[in-house]
Amino acid sequence: MHNYISGSILSGTLNVQSLLICSITSVILGLGIGFLYRFRNTYNKGFLLTLTLLPPIVQLVIMMVNGNIGAGMAVAGAFSLVRFRSVPGNARDITNIFFAMAIGLTTGMGYLGLAITFFIFLALVELIFLISPLGSEKEGVRILRMTIPENLDYENVFDEVLDYFTESYTLQSVRTVNLGSLFELQYQVELKGGESQKEFIDKLRTRNGNLTISLSRPFPSREEL
């Protein structure tokens, strides 16, 4: 078992059989990373193709520069340029790109058992984290936007209603609209369970002059690296 995980199938001169075995393993693991990326995530076909083909590409490069320190340093510099010249992605995008590159590096050195074990371990960690509620936004969190007349003192007028219908609330922004004749307030609120959203909005309408009110879920944030 130890030899299977830590042993390399490459010994001496590279041959066609070893190249095919490593390439097939890289493609299969790349497909696995692509399907893992699809889970509970928005995606496009081009990025899935990138995750699938990146391991065999990295694998081939590593095989070609094997034993050549200068060429290896040049390849490392090229990969760093790809990161800084590309469009910034969110944390999960970048993590899966490095995941695919790590698989390619491992298969490129012939450690197929290690690559498969590493893939299974990280896939399980990622799935457990995605399924668990850790880091998820609270169910009752909403974005409340209200339009009010310019002469209305908004700092205290809605506090009573907000205290009754929400667990917590934060005034995030205030801006003028309609050429400065109106104000638009934006709150992040956490609604209390069991309270009617319609009744909540109706109570607010009686205090904002029956102007526009919207209550929506927050957009998922894209953390960039």
Side-chain angles (χ1 to χ4, degrees):
M1 179 67 178
H2 178 268
N3 290 335
Y4 169 73
I5 294 178
S6 60
S8 172
I9 69 168
L10 300 179
S11 58
T13 305
L14 180 66
N15 55 61
V16 176
Q17 182 181 0
S18 298
L19 176 62
L20 286 176
I21 293 174
C22 291
S23 298
I24 291 171
T25 304
S26 296
V27 171
I28 292 173
L29 295 180
L31 281 169
I33 295 172
F35 280 105
L36 183 65
Y37 177 80
R38 290 177 56 189
F39 184 68
R40 294 190 178 180
N41 194 23
T42 57
Y43 62 93
N44 61 67
K45 194 172 183 178
F47 193 73
L48 293 183
L49 180 63
T50 299
L51 292 178
T52 302
L53 296 183
L54 193 56
I57 292 172
V58 174
Q59 166 223 311
L60 181 60
V61 172
I62 294 304
M63 286 180 169
M64 293 301 99
V65 303
N66 187 28
N68 190 323
I69 297 177
M73 293 296 291
V75 171
F79 280 130
S80 66
L81 287 176
V82 170
R83 167 67 188 96
F84 291 110
R85 291 177 63 87
S86 60
V87 177
N90 63 23
R92 192 173 177 188
D93 294 345
I94 304 303
T95 299
N96 280 275
I97 288 175
F98 280 112
F99 188 5
M101 289 179 61
I103 292 295
L105 287 168
T106 310
T107 57
M109 298 178 67
Y111 296 101
L112 303 187
L114 181 61
I116 294 170
T117 304
F118 180 70
F119 169 79
I120 293 173
F121 175 73
L122 282 190
L124 287 174
V125 171
E126 185 170 346
L127 285 173
I128 291 172
F129 188 87
L130 292 173
I131 294 171
S132 72
L134 180 64
S136 301
E137 293 182 345
K138 295 181 179 179
E139 180 63 27
V141 174
R142 297 290 187 274
I143 298 298
L144 172 65
R145 293 184 177 88
M146 288 189 294
T147 304
I148 63 172
E150 63 174 341
N151 60 351
L152 182 65
D153 181 10
Y154 57 83
E155 292 186 355
N156 300 307
V157 69
F158 301 108
D159 288 358
E160 183 181 351
V161 178
L162 292 170
D163 287 336
Y164 183 83
F165 285 93
T166 70
E167 297 286 352
S168 62
Y169 59 91
T170 304
L171 179 60
Q172 293 186 317
S173 65
V174 180
R175 69 187 184 104
T176 59
V177 295
N178 198 26
L179 299 178
S181 61
L182 301 171
F183 283 96
E184 183 183 81
L185 313 181
Q186 177 172 305
Y187 290 86
Q188 178 171 298
V189 300
E190 182 183 349
L191 300 175
K192 290 182 179 178
E195 297 293 344
S196 169
Q197 293 187 19
K198 181 182 183 305
E199 185 180 356
F200 177 41
I201 293 175
D202 287 340
K203 293 290 186 182
L204 293 172
R205 288 170 56 199
T206 62
R207 305 196 179 202
N208 82 324
N210 204 28
L211 295 173
T212 303
I213 297 176
S214 70
L215 189 65
S216 60
R217 290 182 179 273
F219 290 106
S221 59
R222 287 184 60 87
E223 307 264 342
E224 293 187 353
L225 290 181

